[in-house]
Amino acid sequence: MDEIIDRLKKVRKGAMFIIEAPSGTGKGTICKELLRRDPNIKFSVSVTTRKPREGEVEGVDYFFVSDQQYDEFLAQDAFYEHVDSQYGSRYGTLRSEVDSFINVGQDVLFDMDWAGARQMRQKAPDDVVTIYLLPPSIKELRKRLINRGTDSMEVIEQRMSIILDKISHWDEFDYVIVNVNLEETITKIQKIISGERMRRVRQVGLKGFVKELVNEVKNSN
Ligand code: ADP
């Protein structure tokens, strides 16, 4: 019996979890914790045409490619989603990279905006699960950005100025969580992940398993 359950677990199809939030809500902190606590979740590494910044590692931060290579990927429809940044660099999520994880039962986590999430949902509707995080208040959001200490006041104000546009897409997401308490939010997301792993479409071993059950019934009659 245990052997069957074990086998079922091994033939699970992974899911693609997209988490989005207005800057400062806690998305980065939460993603890092989810990855640290569950080795079955992998982070999706994007392709980019921009040059590596100091300390960035190929295959860890990004896959750095030339414009020509990027165009080839586009022509082959090799991306789940792609975007041209306003600064001229281009970014994309390679299907092959993501599929290599989900086909062996590992889940993939994406740090992606609503536009990317929309493209992903269109291309892989059964595999994509989207989660939107909201701050408890705008005052608290500003406080978190200031406390984080990574942005100048000018950048913080810039982030705050696009918040309405960001928040307006909240209802395109499957799950919405207000990130009041960090630990509680992480627990909630872990529960979402557990539930999503049990969906019938992800338990790809079930067909064979039920067939065996049916045979067992037939043979015992
Ligand atoms: P984002 O990636 O969404 O821009 P960060 O993960 O960098 O946000 O979080 C912004 C700041 O808020 C960080 O200093 C982080 O430690 C803090 N933070 C995250 N979640 C909470 C929370 N629930 N309560 C208080 N502070 C939080």
Side-chain angles (χ1 to χ4, degrees):
M1 190 89 91
D2 284 353
E3 191 191 308
I4 294 170
I5 303 299
D6 244 24
R7 207 174 67 215
L8 272 178
K9 274 189 196 155
K10 278 185 195 128
V11 289
R12 189 173 72 80
K13 188 178 186 198
M16 308 177 189
F17 291 97
I18 300 178
I19 302 188
E20 165 65 335
S23 186
T25 305
K27 178 172 71 167
T29 311
I30 288 162
C31 286
K32 217 186 284 164
E33 267 312 293
L34 291 169
L35 291 165
R36 196 181 65 78
R37 294 182 194 190
D38 188 339
N40 255 324
I41 306 175
K42 304 291 173 195
F43 190 70
S44 167
V45 178
S46 301
V47 162
T48 182
T49 59
R50 81 155 165 73
K51 296 278 168 286
R53 296 195 185 117
E54 197 165 327
E56 282 184 334
V57 179
E58 163 77 15
V60 175
D61 298 290
Y62 285 99
F63 296 111
F64 296 98
V65 299
S66 64
D67 273 301
Q68 187 194 351
Q69 175 71 67
Y70 190 96
D71 286 336
E72 278 168 28
F73 283 141
L74 269 184
Q76 295 159 2
D77 192 24
F79 292 129
Y80 269 126
E81 62 84 46
H82 59 92
V83 66
D84 290 359
S85 96
Q86 62 202 86
Y87 307 108
S89 310
R90 298 186 289 171
Y91 299 84
T93 301
L94 276 180
R95 286 173 189 270
S96 56
E97 165 75 5
V98 177
D99 290 351
S100 70
F101 292 123
I102 64 168
N103 288 338
V104 295
Q106 289 180 318
D107 303 302
V108 185
L109 189 63
F110 297 81
D111 179 346
M112 186 177 282
D113 72 0
W114 60 267
R118 205 182 258 181
Q119 288 183 49
M120 296 281 295
R121 205 182 296 111
Q122 272 165 7
K123 292 212 172 148
D126 282 347
D127 300 317
V128 170
V129 179
T130 56
I131 303 170
Y132 197 85
L133 304 175
L134 286 168
S137 70
I138 302 304
K139 196 172 151 203
E140 170 67 16
L141 184 69
R142 188 188 297 271
K143 204 167 106 192
R144 287 184 191 175
L145 280 173
I146 294 169
N147 287 346
R148 187 170 70 182
T150 55
D151 299 334
S152 65
M153 275 322 281
E154 195 189 339
V155 171
I156 290 178
E157 288 318 316
Q158 215 176 320
R159 294 196 190 287
M160 298 302 293
S161 72
I162 57 165
I163 191 151
L164 270 187
D165 177 56
K166 279 240 170 192
I167 286 184
S168 67
H169 294 279
W170 71 277
D171 59 355
E172 293 176 27
F173 288 72
D174 300 319
Y175 298 91
V176 178
I177 301 172
V178 181
N179 178 27
V180 181
N181 174 282
L182 185 61
E183 200 47 47
E184 279 175 20
T185 301
I186 292 169
T187 304
K188 282 176 187 165
I189 297 178
Q190 285 176 320
K191 285 182 180 166
I192 293 171
I193 293 173
S194 304
E196 288 291 338
R197 283 175 175 167
M198 284 189 277
R199 274 188 186 269
R200 176 170 43 80
V201 287
R202 308 226 157 84
Q203 297 196 60
V204 287
L206 274 183
K207 254 191 189 157
F209 176 65
V210 173
K211 213 169 164 182
E212 280 175 34
L213 285 184
V214 170
N215 279 339
E216 207 181 326
V217 174
K218 283 182 184 161
N219 293 337
S220 65
N221 283 341

